Amino acid sequence: MSRIVSCFLLIIVLWSCKNDDDGPESVPPRLLSEVEPENNTEIRTYLQTHFYNYEEFNSPPTDFDFKVRFDTISGENANKIPLISQIENPQKIKVFSSTFGRTDGEEIEHTLYYLVIREGIGESPTIGDNAVLRYQGSLLDGTLFDASDVPIRQYLSSFVRGFSNGVIKLKTGSEPMENGDGSVNFQDYGIGVVFIPSGLAYFSSPPSGSAIPSYSPILFQIDLFSFEKDTDFDQDGIPSILEDLNGNGNLNDDNTDEDSENVFVPNHRDADDDNDGIPTIDEISDDNGNIITPYPDTDADGIPDYLDSDS
C-alpha cells in the first residue's frame, strides 16, 4: 500500500514540474476604466472611516510636532470628525492611458482628494517649480513606502502627478531662520495630505523593490516650506510652467519636436524645443543675452521661433 501511495505522490510531483516548465501564467494589464472606480471607492471608504489629529492642530500642545496622524473612527474615537467631511473641492483630472505606455486610447477622469490642514502664510508654487518640502508616503493601510525626515529640494514635475497637484494647494511658511548649527527652521508653513488614485500615481508600474502593489491608491503627507518661483528646469530661458502648452496642468505631455526625436523629451526638459539645432535660449535672446518678450516670431506665422523648426 505504501508503495502505491509513494508512486501516486511521485506522479503528482512530476506532473506539477511539467506544468511549471510552461512558465508563469501571463496576467493581462488592467484598464484605467476598470481600476479608477475601485481606487475611488477605496479612497472614499478610507476617508469615511478615518480621522486625523485635528484637535491637536486646533489647540497645539506645548511639545506638539505638527505631524499628521490618522486613526480609525471606532470605540472611544467613534465621535471623531471623518476625513471626508474635511475634504474641500476634490479635483477632477483627466488621465490618458498613453501616459502608461498603453495603446487602448482610454481617457478617464480621476478624482484627487486633498486635505489642507494648515494653508501656510506665503505663496503657492506651480507644478513647474522647485519646492523645499518634507513628505511621507504610505499605502491606505499605513504601510510606509517613502519619507523625507528633513527638508529636501524637489522639482515638482519630476514626481507623480497627484503629488505635485497636491503640493500646489499649499502655501509656504515664513523665511527660514538659522538655528546656529547649520540647520534652518520654518514657521507657519503649509501642511496637508493628498489621497491619490493609482492613475495619478504609479498605476501598474510602482518603483522596483517598493512596498507599493500595482494599481494601489496612495497618500502623501506634505509640509511645504518654500519654493523657487518661475523655476527654469532645463535652463532654456523659459520658466517651466510656461512650457505647459496645452494648459492641462501636466508638463510631461508637451513635446513640440516629438516627431523628430528618438526619445520622448517634454519641452520643460528640452533645451532645444523645436530640435532645429539652435538652443531655445539663443532663439529668445538678444546679442547681450537678454530675453526678448514677446518671444521672437521671425516668419510671423504665430509660432515663436523656439517652437518653429522652419524659422
Side-chain angles (χ1 to χ4, degrees):
M1 180 67 177
S2 61
R3 289 184 179 179
I4 295 175
V5 172
S6 297
C7 290
F8 180 70
L9 292 175
L10 180 60
I11 291 171
I12 292 177
V13 171
L14 291 175
W15 183 81
S16 299
C17 291
K18 183 178 185 302
N19 280 351
D20 288 344
D21 290 342
D22 296 333
E25 182 180 353
S26 177
V27 179
R30 301 185 67 190
L31 297 172
L32 278 173
S33 57
E34 175 187 8
V35 176
E36 187 279 329
E38 292 179 3
N39 280 183
N40 192 53
T41 297
E42 287 181 73
I43 291 174
R44 291 190 63 85
T45 299
Y46 182 90
L47 297 175
Q48 291 163 352
T49 58
H50 288 74
F51 73 99
Y52 81 97
N53 52 329
Y54 56 86
E55 293 167 321
E56 290 184 302
F57 278 93
N58 292 338
S59 300
T62 302
D63 58 349
F64 185 46
D65 58 5
F66 290 91
K67 297 288 188 182
V68 182
R69 295 177 176 86
F70 299 109
D71 204 347
T72 306
I73 298 177
S74 62
E76 62 180 15
N77 295 322
N79 294 323
K80 300 296 185 182
I81 301 173
L83 292 166
I84 193 69
S85 298
Q86 298 168 311
I87 296 291
E88 297 181 12
N89 302 320
Q91 184 178 3
K92 301 291 186 179
I93 300 176
K94 184 174 290 187
V95 178
F96 296 86
S97 61
S98 57
T99 301
F100 303 101
R102 306 297 178 85
T103 58
D104 52 51
E106 284 200 322
E107 302 176 13
I108 305 299
E109 192 172 70
H110 286 60
T111 303
L112 183 69
Y113 298 88
Y114 57 90
L115 175 67
V116 177
I117 295 173
R118 185 172 73 185
E119 186 179 36
I121 61 172
E123 297 181 78
S124 297
T126 73
I127 55 168
D129 289 329
N130 286 319
V132 176
L133 47 76
R134 182 171 57 204
Y135 68 89
Q136 178 176 297
S138 62
L139 305 181
L140 298 186
D141 66 6
T143 301
L144 184 69
F145 61 79
D146 193 10
S148 170
D149 296 326
V150 297
I152 62 169
R153 182 172 178 267
Q154 187 175 66
Y155 181 54
L156 293 182
S157 278
S158 68
F159 214 62
V160 296
R161 191 174 177 188
F163 178 87
S164 59
N165 277 264
V167 173
I168 64 177
K169 303 301 182 182
L170 302 174
K171 295 181 179 179
T172 59
S174 61
E175 291 295 318
M177 296 180 291
E178 296 285 345
N179 293 323
D181 59 359
S183 62
V184 296
N185 188 36
F186 295 87
Q187 298 291 331
D188 301 316
Y189 51 85
I191 301 173
V193 185
V194 59
F195 303 87
I196 311 174
S198 63
L200 291 170
Y202 301 105
F203 198 52
S204 60
S205 303
S208 177
S210 77
I212 308 173
S214 297
Y215 310 112
S216 295
I218 58 178
L219 67 85
F220 278 99
Q221 301 177 33
I222 303 163
D223 298 334
L224 175 63
F225 301 117
S226 66
F227 72 96
E228 176 190 334
K229 194 169 186 175
D230 292 332
T231 297
D232 178 8
F233 183 78
D234 56 7
Q235 298 295 298
D236 66 353
I238 299 175
S240 294
I241 190 59
L242 297 184
E243 306 214 60
D244 180 15
L245 302 180
N246 56 19
N248 69 346
N250 180 13
L251 298 184
N252 293 305
D253 65 357
D254 298 275
N255 187 14
T256 305
D257 53 6
E258 178 179 0
D259 292 340
S260 61
E261 288 181 333
N262 294 322
V263 178
F264 188 95
V265 182
N267 286 7
H268 72 112
R269 293 178 174 273
D270 192 347
D272 180 7
D273 291 320
D274 57 3
N275 203 27
D276 64 353
I278 305 173
T280 294
I281 187 68
D282 291 342
E283 295 191 271
I284 63 172
S285 303
D286 62 22
D287 293 338
N288 296 317
N290 300 309
I291 303 297
I292 304 169
T293 54
Y295 300 130
D297 178 11
T298 303
D299 56 10
D301 63 353
I303 303 174
D305 292 350
Y306 80 95
L307 296 176
D308 192 351
S309 61
D310 63 3
S311 65

